[in-house]
Amino acid sequence: MSAREHMRLIFEGTGSRGDVAPLLELAGVLAQRGYCCRLLANSGYEQEARERGVELTATVERQTAFRKGEAVSFSDYLYPGLPAVQRCLADVGASSTVCINTTRLSASNLICEQRGIDTVRLHLSPFVLRSLVSPPWPYRARAEGPPGREGLRRLYHAIDTDQRVLGFLNQQRREHGLCAVQSAWHAEPHLRRQLAMFPSWFCEPAADWPVDLELVGFPLPAARGALPPAVLDFVARHGRPIVFTTGTFVDDTDSFVALARACCEQLGRPGIFLSKHRAQLSCAGPSGLLEIPFAELGLLLPRAALIVHHAGVGTSARALQAGIPQIACPTGFDQFDNAQRLRQLGVACIADRRLLSAADLCAAIESLLGSKLVAERSLALAAQSRDGLERAADVIEAVVQSRRVASPGRSSAAGSGAGIVSAEL
């Protein structure tokens, strides 16, 4: 058995496709390099994992996070899939395992701290990185007004010491033989490196970010497969479409579909609506709307004129890579921060989908498509968009190499420094 085959890399994360896909793709890169890679994530990715040479264990029995109207418990967000993750990590050796996760509240993070398993953290968007110097939206608006940074510091403290959250965390920590903590944002002695999965031109690093953080770029692997024949035929007959999508998280799409259809009719342009919650429908004429469950954005967007989307970081990155204008309609999580960054880059405008009329959307589309400045800026950023997966894999390999020569339980300077910087917020 080679040294690489002896090392086991465990990737863990749950959520929507945008949360899981970067882990899956990165695991695939390292599997090609000869490592034994296992992904612990939502069900539904088994086929994609096999295609990439990655083992998959479903820790959450659904592909997307939640559905509209569902009750959500703490265990859905705090250490999700913990029993399954604990079983998967029970028989691995700490000296021959490196874990890659996306949040301190990943189930693997608790087990890795307990077992002393070296961990690499992927930050998928700027929103998840706390800062008092340059906070993400919507926190930035709070920091810029009274009482400023001190108010934001108090807000972070209130979140971290909320007894509903802290009580749940400490209960789990006690059950796993770990000491209680006074803040949910506590030191992580097992954390070896942190990687930001976006480029510096998308978000300039803040002075108070973790000292060991490296910005490696968006995960933009080469697109796989081919577009559905219906899409290829539609584009060939009607030209570059406007693409509409709400992402995989949103299943309430009826009103947005009606808005997209009205917009295409008023503009006389073709459109494609992407949602796994929609069935494929026929469309007629150059101003029709083709509805399909899924299409690889890396293949579709280079053929598109513009995209109207939810401002998920994965969709935003693919649109930047394709060099097309964007209309961002954020609804939650990191989407508001991503939308602001796209607007500041000069390639997008922001709209509230709940208040948006067909006339407003048509005007925004025509304005973006008619702007020479937007077109030039979009193409310039496309030229700077490079896949960050290989660099991320290099960093993980460096952690593996250092792990082979370090004594068990030894804390690296990067890990301890990251804990200190984070704790100050």
Side-chain angles (χ1 to χ4, degrees):
M1 178 182 291
S2 70
R4 288 186 175 185
E5 290 173 326
H6 176 69
M7 291 298 301
R8 178 173 289 272
L9 303 181
I10 305 292
F11 299 77
E12 192 254 335
T14 59
S16 61
R17 185 175 188 86
D19 300 302
V20 176
L23 291 166
L24 177 59
E25 297 293 353
L26 181 55
V29 171
L30 285 156
Q32 289 181 344
R33 297 187 182 188
Y35 289 95
C36 179
C37 298
R38 177 179 291 273
L39 174 64
L40 313 182
N42 310 55
S43 64
Y45 295 94
E46 291 81 2
Q47 178 62 34
E48 293 178 73
R50 282 194 296 270
E51 292 172 354
R52 291 160 176 78
V54 176
E55 302 175 44
L56 184 135
T57 297
T59 57
V60 178
E61 293 301 323
R62 64 194 326 171
Q63 188 167 5
T64 54
F66 309 108
R67 298 182 181 89
K68 184 179 180 181
E70 282 188 331
V72 177
S73 68
F74 277 135
S75 61
D76 292 319
Y77 283 109
L78 311 181
Y79 309 139
L82 178 58
V85 172
Q86 186 170 12
R87 288 193 297 270
C88 290
L89 293 177
D91 60 349
V92 303
S95 62
S96 59
T97 305
V98 171
C99 182
I100 299 92
N101 61 35
T102 58
T103 169
R104 62 176 54 238
L105 297 178
S106 297
S108 61
N109 212 47
L110 181 69
I111 307 304
C112 288
E113 182 180 352
Q114 177 198 41
R115 298 278 311 280
I117 297 174
D118 282 355
T119 301
V120 176
R121 176 72 38 75
L122 305 186
H123 300 284
L124 302 182
S125 70
F127 176 76
V128 300
L129 287 159
R130 289 187 177 183
S131 174
L132 296 175
V133 175
S134 182
W137 290 87
Y139 300 122
R140 177 168 298 187
R142 184 184 185 103
E144 290 174 348
R149 292 183 185 178
E150 182 56 34
L152 182 56
R153 188 191 296 272
R154 289 199 297 267
L155 175 63
Y156 283 148
H157 178 74
I159 293 172
D160 295 336
T161 57
D162 186 308
Q163 289 306 306
R164 296 168 297 176
V165 174
L166 200 56
F168 182 90
L169 263 61
N170 280 328
Q171 176 186 345
Q172 296 300 320
R173 291 180 64 84
R174 286 190 294 269
E175 291 178 1
H176 289 83
L178 295 169
C179 63
V181 292
Q182 296 181 335
S183 169
W185 204 266
H186 55 84
E188 301 175 276
H190 56 293
L191 192 62
R192 293 293 170 262
R193 289 298 299 272
Q194 301 191 60
L195 301 177
M197 301 303 293
F198 49 85
S200 58
W201 54 259
F202 183 71
C203 177
E204 183 179 354
D208 55 348
W209 278 3
V211 294
D212 66 319
L213 181 70
E214 181 176 345
L215 280 68
V216 299
F218 291 124
L220 295 169
R224 293 171 174 261
L227 288 172
V231 173
L232 293 173
D233 178 67
F234 183 71
V235 174
R237 286 189 293 117
H238 303 305
R240 296 167 70 89
I242 299 168
V243 175
F244 302 84
T245 183
T246 58
T248 57
F249 184 82
V250 177
D251 60 3
D252 181 18
T253 59
D254 289 346
S255 60
F256 196 26
V257 167
L259 181 66
R261 184 176 294 111
C263 182
C264 289
E265 291 174 353
Q266 291 183 30
L267 292 175
R269 285 181 173 270
I272 295 178
F273 193 97
L274 299 177
S275 173
K276 63 178 294 183
H277 306 287
R278 309 293 300 186
Q280 183 171 322
L281 303 176
S282 60
C283 58
S287 60
L289 184 70
L290 179 67
E291 301 180 47
I292 56 175
F294 175 78
E296 171 58 57
L297 293 181
L299 298 173
L300 175 60
L301 294 188
R303 293 174 165 86
L306 177 146
I307 183 170
V308 183
H309 64 105
H310 55 299
V313 69
T315 303
S316 302
R318 282 299 192 186
L320 287 166
Q321 181 190 36
I324 61 173
Q326 308 178 48
I327 296 179
C329 304
T331 59
F333 304 105
D334 63 332
Q335 297 167 11
F336 293 100
D337 184 64
N338 297 332
Q340 289 289 343
R341 298 186 189 283
L342 292 171
R343 183 185 63 79
Q344 291 169 357
L345 287 170
V347 299
C349 65
I350 303 174
D352 187 338
R353 186 162 61 87
R354 300 167 301 175
L355 306 176
L356 197 59
S357 67
D360 292 336
L361 183 56
C362 288
I365 291 173
E366 289 183 316
S367 175
L368 288 171
L369 291 179
S371 171
K372 181 180 179 181
L373 184 61
V374 170
E376 291 175 347
R377 188 62 179 151
S378 297
L379 292 175
L381 292 177
Q384 298 182 57
S385 297
R386 298 177 179 86
D387 180 29
L389 290 173
E390 293 291 340
R391 177 54 192 157
D394 290 343
V395 174
I396 292 170
E397 278 206 280
V399 172
V400 170
Q401 295 294 335
S402 66
R403 185 55 173 155
R404 291 176 186 163
V405 299
S407 60
R410 177 183 176 186
S411 296
S412 70
S416 59
I420 293 170
V421 172
S422 297
E424 290 178 351
L425 297 182

